[in-house]
Amino acid sequence: DTGVSQNPRHKITKRGQNVTFRCDPISEHNRLYWYRQTLGQGPEFLTYFQNEAQLEKSRLLSDRFSAERPKGSFSTLEIQRTEQGDSAMYLCASSLVWTGGPDTQYFGPGTRLTVL
Amino acid sequence: AQSVAQPEDQVNVAEGNPLTVKCTYSVSGNPYLFWYVQYPNRGLQFLLKYITGDNLVKGSYGFEAEFNKSQTSFHLKKPSALVSDSALYFCAVRDLVGGATNKLIFGTGTLLAVQP
């Protein structure tokens, strides 16, 4: 059973550039979440998908951020016109929704973004 | 609003001694609570969750957590600590606002340091 994978693991970019991250969830997981984690803090929710539908976006997710999950499998998170405040670890998690209670989210290794 | 608090930034314990990492929560309604562990430059690994039922929940790697409704706590415990348990531990609660989202709200984390 392969876990959640994320690429790239590290990204260094200059302010104003666009970046895109990819997340491949655990096979057959129908929910996919994006979180952001800054140093010394716990992860903060950004957005999530059920299959290919994006069902919720956090107010943290400015207009410069966009996420897609076109075929209900992998997802991409794009940040346009990056700012230094975007520097963080971007975590992806996937889960299998069931009717017996809350799903358990399994996290990938994250993509660490550094904006110079 | 739902929230969790981890009152200790760091917990130090000697190898072989029992360990406790504290977490308190604030929710409206029944809480769904989780513990995750994060090793350096890695994503979060799921340890255990409380949904309902027994107040003592057993999880991975010998960890367990005790749910206490009257004290609104969900402390993580292990009878005998290992040096390899040294890591950052996060408590999380399911956010019930917004319906079926299942997004998690994390605490700020507790660094566990186990001395040999």
PDB file of all heavy atoms in Angstrom, chain A residues 7-12 21 89 110-114, chain B residues 41:
ATOM      1  N   ASN A   7       5.116  16.008  -4.934  1.00  0.00           N
ATOM      2  CA  ASN A   7       6.266  16.468  -5.718  1.00  0.00           C
ATOM      3  C   ASN A   7       6.084  17.931  -6.118  1.00  0.00           C
ATOM      4  O   ASN A   7       4.958  18.356  -6.411  1.00  0.00           O
ATOM      5  CB  ASN A   7       6.406  15.615  -6.982  1.00  0.00           C
ATOM      6  CG  ASN A   7       6.904  14.224  -6.665  1.00  0.00           C
ATOM      7  OD1 ASN A   7       8.059  14.039  -6.318  1.00  0.00           O
ATOM      8  ND2 ASN A   7       6.009  13.262  -6.743  1.00  0.00           N
ATOM      9  N   PRO A   8       7.180  18.683  -6.118  1.00  0.00           N
ATOM     10  CA  PRO A   8       8.499  18.297  -5.614  1.00  0.00           C
ATOM     11  C   PRO A   8       8.526  18.298  -4.085  1.00  0.00           C
ATOM     12  O   PRO A   8       7.572  18.736  -3.450  1.00  0.00           O
ATOM     13  CB  PRO A   8       9.397  19.396  -6.177  1.00  0.00           C
ATOM     14  CG  PRO A   8       8.514  20.599  -6.184  1.00  0.00           C
ATOM     15  CD  PRO A   8       7.133  20.091  -6.561  1.00  0.00           C
ATOM     16  N   ARG A   9       9.594  17.816  -3.500  1.00  0.00           N
ATOM     17  CA  ARG A   9       9.717  17.870  -2.041  1.00  0.00           C
ATOM     18  C   ARG A   9      10.173  19.249  -1.583  1.00  0.00           C
ATOM     19  O   ARG A   9       9.819  19.699  -0.497  1.00  0.00           O
ATOM     20  CB  ARG A   9      10.705  16.816  -1.566  1.00  0.00           C
ATOM     21  CG  ARG A   9      10.252  15.387  -1.799  1.00  0.00           C
ATOM     22  CD  ARG A   9       9.055  15.014  -0.892  1.00  0.00           C
ATOM     23  NE  ARG A   9       9.345  15.296   0.498  1.00  0.00           N
ATOM     24  CZ  ARG A   9      10.007  14.466   1.299  1.00  0.00           C
ATOM     25  NH1 ARG A   9      10.441  13.302   0.848  1.00  0.00           N
ATOM     26  NH2 ARG A   9      10.206  14.791   2.573  1.00  0.00           N
ATOM     27  N   HIS A  10      10.952  19.885  -2.409  1.00  0.00           N
ATOM     28  CA  HIS A  10      11.444  21.231  -2.088  1.00  0.00           C
ATOM     29  C   HIS A  10      11.318  22.102  -3.333  1.00  0.00           C
ATOM     30  O   HIS A  10      11.539  21.619  -4.448  1.00  0.00           O
ATOM     31  CB  HIS A  10      12.905  21.203  -1.647  1.00  0.00           C
ATOM     32  CG  HIS A  10      13.159  20.301  -0.472  1.00  0.00           C
ATOM     33  ND1 HIS A  10      13.014  20.731   0.828  1.00  0.00           N
ATOM     34  CD2 HIS A  10      13.523  19.009  -0.405  1.00  0.00           C
ATOM     35  CE1 HIS A  10      13.289  19.721   1.640  1.00  0.00           C
ATOM     36  NE2 HIS A  10      13.601  18.670   0.924  1.00  0.00           N
ATOM     37  N   LYS A  11      10.976  23.371  -3.111  1.00  0.00           N
ATOM     38  CA  LYS A  11      10.899  24.312  -4.211  1.00  0.00           C
ATOM     39  C   LYS A  11      11.382  25.656  -3.717  1.00  0.00           C
ATOM     40  O   LYS A  11      10.875  26.180  -2.717  1.00  0.00           O
ATOM     41  CB  LYS A  11       9.463  24.419  -4.721  1.00  0.00           C
ATOM     42  CG  LYS A  11       9.274  25.403  -5.867  1.00  0.00           C
ATOM     43  CD  LYS A  11       9.907  24.903  -7.142  1.00  0.00           C
ATOM     44  CE  LYS A  11       9.652  25.849  -8.302  1.00  0.00           C
ATOM     45  NZ  LYS A  11      10.307  25.381  -9.554  1.00  0.00           N
ATOM     46  N   ILE A  12      12.372  26.200  -4.414  1.00  0.00           N
ATOM     47  CA  ILE A  12      12.849  27.543  -4.125  1.00  0.00           C
ATOM     48  C   ILE A  12      12.510  28.401  -5.331  1.00  0.00           C
ATOM     49  O   ILE A  12      12.816  28.035  -6.462  1.00  0.00           O
ATOM     50  CB  ILE A  12      14.364  27.549  -3.854  1.00  0.00           C
ATOM     51  CG1 ILE A  12      14.687  26.670  -2.647  1.00  0.00           C
ATOM     52  CG2 ILE A  12      14.851  28.982  -3.603  1.00  0.00           C
ATOM     53  CD1 ILE A  12      16.181  26.507  -2.392  1.00  0.00           C
ATOM     54  N   PHE A  21       2.432  22.515  -7.333  1.00  0.00           N
ATOM     55  CA  PHE A  21       2.760  21.315  -6.582  1.00  0.00           C
ATOM     56  C   PHE A  21       1.774  20.215  -6.965  1.00  0.00           C
ATOM     57  O   PHE A  21       0.609  20.486  -7.254  1.00  0.00           O
ATOM     58  CB  PHE A  21       2.652  21.556  -5.072  1.00  0.00           C
ATOM     59  CG  PHE A  21       3.372  22.765  -4.585  1.00  0.00           C
ATOM     60  CD1 PHE A  21       2.817  23.568  -3.601  1.00  0.00           C
ATOM     61  CD2 PHE A  21       4.610  23.128  -5.094  1.00  0.00           C
ATOM     62  CE1 PHE A  21       3.474  24.690  -3.129  1.00  0.00           C
ATOM     63  CE2 PHE A  21       5.271  24.244  -4.631  1.00  0.00           C
ATOM     64  CZ  PHE A  21       4.694  25.043  -3.655  1.00  0.00           C
ATOM     65  N   MET A  89       5.454  24.854   4.478  1.00  0.00           N
ATOM     66  CA  MET A  89       5.338  23.468   4.041  1.00  0.00           C
ATOM     67  C   MET A  89       3.897  23.256   3.597  1.00  0.00           C
ATOM     68  O   MET A  89       2.961  23.569   4.348  1.00  0.00           O
ATOM     69  CB  MET A  89       5.682  22.509   5.186  1.00  0.00           C
ATOM     70  CG  MET A  89       5.477  21.047   4.846  1.00  0.00           C
ATOM     71  SD  MET A  89       6.822  20.380   3.879  1.00  0.00           S
ATOM     72  CE  MET A  89       7.928  19.898   5.210  1.00  0.00           C
ATOM     73  N   GLY A 110       4.942  16.290   2.185  1.00  0.00           N
ATOM     74  CA  GLY A 110       4.933  17.739   2.074  1.00  0.00           C
ATOM     75  C   GLY A 110       5.871  18.279   1.002  1.00  0.00           C
ATOM     76  O   GLY A 110       6.816  17.617   0.571  1.00  0.00           O
ATOM     77  N   THR A 111       5.568  19.485   0.575  1.00  0.00           N
ATOM     78  CA  THR A 111       6.441  20.258  -0.312  1.00  0.00           C
ATOM     79  C   THR A 111       6.836  21.519   0.436  1.00  0.00           C
ATOM     80  O   THR A 111       5.962  22.300   0.829  1.00  0.00           O
ATOM     81  CB  THR A 111       5.732  20.637  -1.623  1.00  0.00           C
ATOM     82  OG1 THR A 111       5.441  19.465  -2.375  1.00  0.00           O
ATOM     83  CG2 THR A 111       6.622  21.577  -2.453  1.00  0.00           C
ATOM     84  N   ARG A 112       8.126  21.690   0.616  1.00  0.00           N
ATOM     85  CA  ARG A 112       8.585  22.893   1.318  1.00  0.00           C
ATOM     86  C   ARG A 112       8.885  23.977   0.295  1.00  0.00           C
ATOM     87  O   ARG A 112       9.748  23.810  -0.567  1.00  0.00           O
ATOM     88  CB  ARG A 112       9.835  22.616   2.146  1.00  0.00           C
ATOM     89  CG  ARG A 112      10.316  23.851   2.916  1.00  0.00           C
ATOM     90  CD  ARG A 112      11.362  23.526   3.947  1.00  0.00           C
ATOM     91  NE  ARG A 112      10.859  22.671   5.021  1.00  0.00           N
ATOM     92  CZ  ARG A 112      10.092  23.087   6.021  1.00  0.00           C
ATOM     93  NH1 ARG A 112       9.719  24.346   6.087  1.00  0.00           N
ATOM     94  NH2 ARG A 112       9.718  22.244   6.957  1.00  0.00           N
ATOM     95  N   LEU A 113       8.166  25.072   0.395  1.00  0.00           N
ATOM     96  CA  LEU A 113       8.332  26.197  -0.522  1.00  0.00           C
ATOM     97  C   LEU A 113       9.096  27.312   0.163  1.00  0.00           C
ATOM     98  O   LEU A 113       8.743  27.722   1.273  1.00  0.00           O
ATOM     99  CB  LEU A 113       6.970  26.733  -0.975  1.00  0.00           C
ATOM    100  CG  LEU A 113       6.995  28.014  -1.798  1.00  0.00           C
ATOM    101  CD1 LEU A 113       7.673  27.784  -3.139  1.00  0.00           C
ATOM    102  CD2 LEU A 113       5.587  28.567  -1.990  1.00  0.00           C
ATOM    103  N   THR A 114      10.135  27.789  -0.507  1.00  0.00           N
ATOM    104  CA  THR A 114      10.884  28.953  -0.048  1.00  0.00           C
ATOM    105  C   THR A 114      10.813  30.016  -1.133  1.00  0.00           C
ATOM    106  O   THR A 114      11.197  29.762  -2.283  1.00  0.00           O
ATOM    107  CB  THR A 114      12.357  28.608   0.225  1.00  0.00           C
ATOM    108  OG1 THR A 114      12.412  27.577   1.214  1.00  0.00           O
ATOM    109  CG2 THR A 114      13.103  29.837   0.730  1.00  0.00           C
TER     110      THR A 114
ATOM    111  N   ASN B  41      11.274  17.182   8.818  1.00  0.00           N
ATOM    112  CA  ASN B  41      11.158  17.256   7.363  1.00  0.00           C
ATOM    113  C   ASN B  41      10.280  16.150   6.789  1.00  0.00           C
ATOM    114  O   ASN B  41      10.483  15.725   5.650  1.00  0.00           O
ATOM    115  CB  ASN B  41      12.542  17.217   6.708  1.00  0.00           C
ATOM    116  CG  ASN B  41      13.390  18.393   7.137  1.00  0.00           C
ATOM    117  OD1 ASN B  41      12.924  19.530   7.131  1.00  0.00           O
ATOM    118  ND2 ASN B  41      14.619  18.126   7.538  1.00  0.00           N
TER     119      ASN B  41
END
